[in-house]
Amino acid sequence: MGKKLLIHNDKVPGIATLEVYRQHGGYASVEKALKTMTPPEVLEEVKKSGLRGRGGAGFPTGMKWSFLARPEGVERYLVCNADESEPGTFKDRYLMEVIPHLLIEGMITSSYALGAKTSYIYIRGEYFYVARILEKALDEAYAAGLLGKNILGSDFSHDCYVQVGGGAYICGEETALLESLEGKRGNPRIKPPFPAIAGVWGCPTVVNNVETIATVCPIIMMGGDEYAKIGIGRSTGTKLISASGHINKPGVYEIELGLPVEEFIYSEEYCGGIINGRKLKAVVAGGSSVPILPAELILKNDKGEPRLMSYESLSEGGFATGTMLGSGGFIVYDETTSIVKNLYTFARFYHHESCGQCSPCREGTGWMEKILHRIVEGHGKPSDIDLLWDIQRKIEGNTICPLGDAAAWPVASAIRHFRAEFEEYINHPEKIKDVKHYYSVHQLAGA
Amino acid sequence: MAKVTIDGHTIEVPDGTTILQAARMLVDKNPEVDAKIAPPTMCYYSKLKTSGGYCRTCIVKVTKGSEKDPRPMPKPVASCRTNVMDGMEVVNITSPELLEARKGVVEFLLINHPLDCPICDQAGECHLQDLGYEHGLAKTRYDFSRRTFAQIDIGPYIKLHMTRCIMCFRCIKVADQITNNRFQGMLFRGDASEISTYIEKAIDNDFSGNVIDVCPVGALTDRTWRFKSRVWFTKPMDAHRNCTKCSGKVAIWMKGNEVLRVTSRKDQWGEAIDWICNDCRFEKKDAKDWVIEKPSHISRHSVISQNHYENLAQLKLDIGKQQKQIASKK
Ligand SMILES: Cc1cc2nc3c(=O)[nH]c(=O)nc-3n(C[C@H](O)[C@H](O)[C@H](O)COP(=O)(O)O)c2cc1C
Ligand code: SF4
Ligand code: SF4
Ligand code: FES
């Protein structure tokens, strides 16, 4: 059994209630931090832990916290990013739904370290029922003196609010989130200034993912050095992985970083292998935005070494042969999958979610979707593949926020690794109406 | 002060200057420097706070971050929203790679544009036209239907032709910053976004007409001037009058003795020098209303200063060449 620090108690009946949660050691990090540590000491432990942001970019959390501006007399804020809209990612929902107090505990401990009197949990609109669960947990925490004035008799006071979003992927981008939180249209801000200097209400703000904040609790309890011993290299600790697709046991798994990808897919402890004993075709390892990799490259890197579930190992080989851990949205495709159709679905998503502020993303995402639609419908042109390649290349790196990149990478990687499949669609449109066709297509590309 | 080098030309500028402003200063101060080293802008407007950053036409490459941290920046940056650092080195027109990326941006701006220049009032003074002419492809690679919207009258003076809009946000910032009541903004998302007024409520304000001047394309046009004349058949004159609401310093566009329209005066970067009020703009169409100073300065490159197509022969040749090229590609 791999090490579990976050959801080891997920099957305990009543763990969503404060009473049961506390019986299982809940809120110990708040007690420990508030009663025995100074805020800089808490920050120091997080730094030592090597924790990296679990929202997608993997930025070291301790470093992010130390960048927070601390001018005299200006409020600071902690904002939890619970917008979780990346296709293939559903770990934050699981955590908040099953153990809501873990997030709230993390919010209090982290806010103490940051000196934030107020924090917000910004949750996507579709998770309305989860927001209700969180609000109930907040009420319990207030009633128990864990929130509000003078928490546990200390001189630290803190208020935490849940804010429900309207359900837009772009509001997961941290500055769009802040705009939305302020009640405005959720458009990403042009940076600089970064949130650490001017975030919500123009005040210094830290934005962290749900899982990042929850992980602060075990870090404070075990100490940063101990935490850093878990995992591999600079990928310390455990990570929640949302596993979906053609696997026997889809679900949320907590893994120790460094677990071999092969073990994750095939072992009974995790995904339990591919459904119906079929062959693995491809994997999107970190949510829809990261490059898709064919079976051979996800199981082993370009040097033939086993690929591990870690930030470094997954990105080994750059985008030519590697990918990213991203948010941990692990989507598995078996040999019956049409990569082209899958890409069309992704492209539709990014087109729909582009905020429209900057020209390359606003116009390019729609254009790519239209071309892919035509290919999927059997009307593709031979020049379409190169055109798609050129469009994604001109979006990538030329936009205000990374949604443009997120829309470009899936297109680039699908063409890079599965070009033959696109050609098959374009050169043999007559086969597209034929269901069996998909088999011939994937065999061609898989060979 | 910070020293910055753009396409090999060095200038010292105050801290907090953007790369774009530095490039414009370079051009302003050194007549021998190619004006094109100042990147083209479609959304930035020096007189509007928080403008810029959206269209991405002004991108440049920073090949050296600063003296202290010489690392190059990994991606192209919007020059209108990136401040210079001491020792920074920037490439614009000397980088083929960057020009290729800009070409991509221009293509994106054009794919959903109707290209209805022959019936558009803005033709001849349209920034997108100029941009497309300099950076665009002769033939579009976009073969899908383009997005269209119904035309809307925003009050008695202004026509919104959303189909032509490139979402530069300038009009929204004018409404926000110049007029005292904003009823206008952006609705919807992505390529379905549109500029709109609150339930088509008229922008009813003394300075609302300035949205026409800031609009880089023909999306916001002057209803009192629509279809009166092609702009290059009119003569712009600097003129003024005593106005209680604005400076009264305008450009009047004349055909014979008739005043066909009134606009703000523009600087060499195509930006309004003074905001003007709606009285001056829409209600004073009699030459007697104005004290005429002198012909307005119009950039030599503009079709307006060509006025009568002096280079007609060359133009015909060019068009013939282009048509042949297109025919041979078909
Ligand atoms: C389009 C887009 C969507 C994003 N969605 C999310 C999200 O749903 N949840 C999240 O935690 N981070 C999301 N991010 C990343 C955030 O911008 C930010 O980096 C993150 O919340 C930082 O938290 P961390 O350091 O704890 O990872 C998104 C980024 C982009 C560009
Ligand atoms: S990249 Fe896309 S989502 Fe991000 S700001 Fe630009 S248009 Fe909006
Ligand atoms: S209407 Fe004109 S000024 Fe307004 S956003 Fe569109 S292009 Fe810009
Ligand atoms: S002018 Fe700089 S991004 Fe538009």
Side-chain angles (χ1 to χ4, degrees):
Chain A
M1 283 288 272
K3 194 141 192 114
K4 284 189 181 184
L5 303 171
L6 298 173
I7 55 171
H8 49 289
N9 287 330
D10 60 347
K11 299 289 186 292
V12 174
I15 193 73
T17 63
L18 181 72
E19 193 190 344
V20 178
Y21 182 70
R22 290 206 83 165
Q23 283 163 9
H24 287 79
Y27 288 100
S29 78
V30 174
E31 298 222 15
K32 181 171 176 186
L34 266 55
K35 291 187 174 158
T36 68
M37 298 166 83
T38 64
E41 279 166 359
V42 178
L43 200 160
E44 192 52 34
E45 292 307 316
V46 173
K47 264 194 186 163
K48 278 197 259 173
S49 74
L51 172 65
R52 291 166 70 175
R54 305 300 197 217
F59 191 82
T61 305
M63 205 190 292
K64 184 185 258 188
W65 286 14
S66 60
F67 287 159
L68 184 71
R70 292 155 190 271
E72 269 315 304
V74 179
E75 292 284 331
R76 297 187 283 275
Y77 293 90
L78 171 66
V79 174
C80 170
N81 189 340
D83 192 61
E84 194 172 57
S85 319
E86 175 99 347
T89 311
F90 41 86
K91 55 167 183 103
D92 295 342
R93 176 182 67 186
Y94 186 74
L95 193 151
M96 293 184 289
E97 189 178 338
V98 179
I99 323 179
H101 282 288
L102 181 61
L103 173 60
I104 296 166
E105 180 181 348
M107 293 294 283
I108 302 168
T109 308
S110 306
S111 297
Y112 176 68
L114 297 168
K117 289 197 202 103
T118 309
S119 64
Y120 302 96
I121 301 173
Y122 181 94
I123 186 164
R124 63 180 288 187
E126 294 87 339
Y127 286 0
F128 197 76
Y129 73 102
V130 184
R132 285 272 177 271
I133 294 173
L134 286 173
E135 269 166 2
K136 199 162 151 233
L138 280 177
D139 289 345
E140 285 182 312
Y142 270 105
L146 289 157
L147 274 169
K149 285 232 161 6
N150 301 96
I151 295 172
L152 300 175
S154 71
D155 53 13
F156 179 63
S157 302
H158 187 77
D159 286 307
C160 179
Y161 301 92
V162 175
Q163 175 62 48
V164 181
Y169 173 58
I170 192 56
C171 291
E173 195 281 337
E174 54 188 13
T175 57
L177 185 157
L178 296 175
E179 286 285 293
S180 174
L181 185 60
E182 291 179 3
K184 302 184 197 137
R185 181 186 163 95
N187 278 358
R189 294 178 183 168
I190 293 166
K191 284 153 273 187
F194 291 92
I197 309 293
V200 70
W201 319 121
C203 298
T205 303
V206 163
V207 182
N208 271 134
N209 173 256
V210 172
E211 187 188 345
T212 315
I213 292 171
T215 306
V216 171
C217 308
I219 289 175
I220 295 311
M221 289 320 291
M222 67 201 298
D225 287 329
E226 270 317 293
Y227 183 86
K229 287 182 192 153
I230 308 165
I232 181 166
R234 287 178 52 230
S235 299
T236 60
T238 64
K239 169 99 189 79
L240 296 180
I241 304 290
S242 324
S244 66
H246 296 136
I247 44 176
N248 284 316
K249 291 166 58 196
V252 175
Y253 296 101
E254 181 169 1
I255 60 155
E256 183 171 341
L257 286 165
L259 180 80
V261 173
E262 187 157 9
E263 186 180 338
F264 182 67
I265 298 176
Y266 289 102
S267 81
E268 274 313 306
E269 194 183 337
Y270 302 110
C271 303
I274 313 292
I275 44 168
N276 297 330
R278 291 201 196 120
K279 262 182 22 200
L280 173 69
K281 178 171 184 178
V283 169
V284 168
S288 60
S289 306
V290 310
I292 191 169
L293 287 185
E296 11 5 310
L297 285 175
I298 187 69
L299 297 177
K300 293 200 164 45
N301 66 18
D302 53 344
K303 293 184 212 111
E305 299 152 356
R307 202 147 331 239
L308 311 177
M309 303 283 279
S310 74
Y311 293 96
E312 290 78 21
S313 178
L314 282 171
S315 52
E316 192 132 0
F319 277 5
T321 59
T323 179
M324 283 162 74
L325 179 62
S327 59
F330 196 87
I331 315 173
V332 179
Y333 301 99
D334 76 11
E335 51 185 329
T336 63
T337 318
S338 160
I339 298 296
V340 181
K341 277 198 155 180
N342 179 66
L343 179 63
Y344 169 57
T345 306
F346 282 2
R348 244 170 53 204
F349 173 79
Y350 289 109
H351 174 210
H352 186 254
E353 298 296 336
S354 163
C355 85
Q357 271 191 117
C358 55
S359 344
C361 170
R362 180 184 62 240
E363 305 295 343
T365 51
W367 194 1
M368 293 197 301
E369 185 205 321
K370 289 193 181 82
I371 295 170
L372 281 161
H373 181 236
R374 147 164 107 195
I375 296 175
V376 165
E377 292 287 306
H379 302 289
K381 301 178 182 179
S383 56
D384 279 350
I385 304 177
D386 289 338
L387 182 56
L388 273 175
W389 182 267
D390 198 49
I391 297 172
Q392 67 78 21
R393 193 171 61 95
K394 283 179 168 146
I395 298 174
E396 194 210 343
N398 282 343
T399 55
I400 295 175
C401 88
L403 191 142
D405 301 339
W409 293 339
V411 175
S413 55
I415 296 178
R416 188 181 296 121
H417 300 300
F418 297 95
R419 196 179 177 104
E421 207 167 305
F422 288 83
E423 285 165 356
E424 180 78 5
Y425 262 83
I426 290 166
N427 297 335
H428 298 286
E430 73 282 358
K431 290 189 189 169
I432 285 173
K433 304 258 149 40
D434 176 2
V435 181
K436 282 200 212 101
H437 154 75
Y438 296 120
Y439 248 88
S440 66
V441 167
H442 71 73
Q443 273 165 0
L444 190 156
Chain B
M1 294 296 274
K3 202 187 252 177
V4 56
T5 306
I6 303 168
D7 283 333
H9 303 277
T10 303
I11 186 172
E12 208 162 329
V13 295
D15 292 327
T17 308
T18 61
I19 298 174
L20 178 81
Q21 284 164 337
R24 286 185 175 181
M25 287 178 193
L26 251 168
V27 173
D28 283 339
K29 286 190 185 150
N30 307 289
E32 76 286 356
V33 169
D34 185 350
K36 290 205 183 94
I37 73 159
T41 52
M42 296 299 287
C43 67
Y44 171 76
Y45 213 81
S46 63
K47 288 156 194 82
L48 295 172
K49 277 183 283 212
T50 71
S51 68
Y54 306 112
C55 73
R56 316 308 282 181
T57 47
C58 70
I59 48 173
V60 293
K61 259 178 64 177
V62 176
T63 49
K64 179 180 168 192
S66 69
E67 215 50 74
K68 269 200 213 116
D69 182 1
R71 284 176 304 170
M73 295 192 183
K75 298 171 177 179
V77 297
S79 61
C80 66
R81 291 295 285 259
T82 310
N83 285 356
V84 296
M85 304 284 274
D86 191 37
M88 185 184 263
E89 286 174 20
V90 175
V91 290
N92 177 20
I93 52 175
T94 49
S95 162
E97 208 184 312
L98 192 268
L99 290 178
E100 176 70 12
R102 179 170 299 142
K103 212 166 159 180
V105 174
V106 175
E107 183 173 30
F108 287 132
L109 285 175
L110 285 170
I111 61 170
N112 268 306
H113 192 77
L115 299 174
D116 58 345
C117 315
I119 54 155
C120 175
D121 271 323
Q122 190 88 358
E125 51 183 7
C126 171
H127 292 228
L128 188 60
Q129 242 180 355
D130 297 346
L131 190 73
Y133 190 73
E134 288 213 357
H135 299 275
L137 301 163
K139 192 166 176 271
T140 180
R141 299 190 291 173
Y142 186 77
D143 48 6
F144 300 94
S145 54
R146 288 163 195 253
R147 113 183 124 232
T148 52
F149 298 87
Q151 296 176 25
I152 297 172
D153 287 334
I154 308 179
Y157 296 131
I158 305 168
K159 180 77 118 190
L160 171 63
H161 214 310
M162 188 48 223
T163 307
R164 296 175 184 150
C165 170
I166 60 155
M167 316 264 181
C168 70
F169 287 77
R170 284 179 183 173
C171 56
I172 296 178
K173 303 210 186 245
V174 166
D176 231 3
Q177 295 170 22
I178 317 265
T179 69
N180 46 20
N181 242 335
R182 175 155 88 88
F183 290 110
Q184 177 222 31
M186 195 166 279
L187 294 183
F188 309 120
R189 193 166 67 187
D191 60 6
S193 312
E194 53 182 288
I195 299 296
S196 187
T197 54
Y198 180 60
I199 326 186
E200 292 183 27
K201 193 177 172 77
I203 305 182
D204 185 10
N205 183 290
D206 281 343
F207 284 82
S208 63
N210 290 295
V211 297
I212 299 166
D213 283 345
V214 301
C215 185
V217 292
L220 290 165
T221 49
D222 179 343
R223 289 184 65 198
T224 67
W225 138 268
R226 274 168 70 83
F227 305 131
K228 289 260 168 67
S229 168
R230 303 269 37 169
V231 51
W232 53 87
F233 295 133
T234 64
K235 253 196 150 30
M237 305 292 270
D238 284 2
H240 67 263
R241 62 181 273 271
N242 271 337
C243 178
T244 51
K245 290 179 178 154
C246 69
S247 71
K249 290 183 190 155
V250 304
I252 57 176
W253 299 72
M254 307 193 61
K255 200 174 196 174
N257 286 327
E258 239 182 305
V259 177
L260 291 189
R261 78 169 169 164
V262 179
T263 67
S264 60
R265 297 182 194 176
K266 302 280 174 69
D267 65 15
Q268 76 149 314
W269 307 108
E271 290 188 12
I273 294 169
D274 287 310
W275 305 119
I276 62 170
C277 70
N278 286 1
D279 274 359
C280 289
R281 185 188 300 271
F282 300 117
E283 303 294 349
K284 306 290 171 200
K285 295 291 179 70
D286 192 330
K288 282 190 237 108
D289 294 330
W290 297 100
V291 181
I292 297 177
E293 299 165 19
K294 59 173 193 312
S296 300
H297 178 78
I298 297 283
S299 155
R300 248 179 312 117
H301 306 291
S302 163
V303 60
I304 302 169
S305 66
Q306 310 276 343
N307 227 346
H308 301 106
Y309 286 132
E310 282 152 38
N311 279 327
L312 208 56
Q314 186 57 40
L315 194 72
K316 268 187 184 157
L317 271 178
D318 283 353
I319 292 173
K321 222 191 277 167
Q322 271 188 13
Q323 281 172 338
K324 251 186 228 153
Q325 267 178 4
I326 291 169
S328 69
K329 270 193 197 139
K330 265 186 189 154

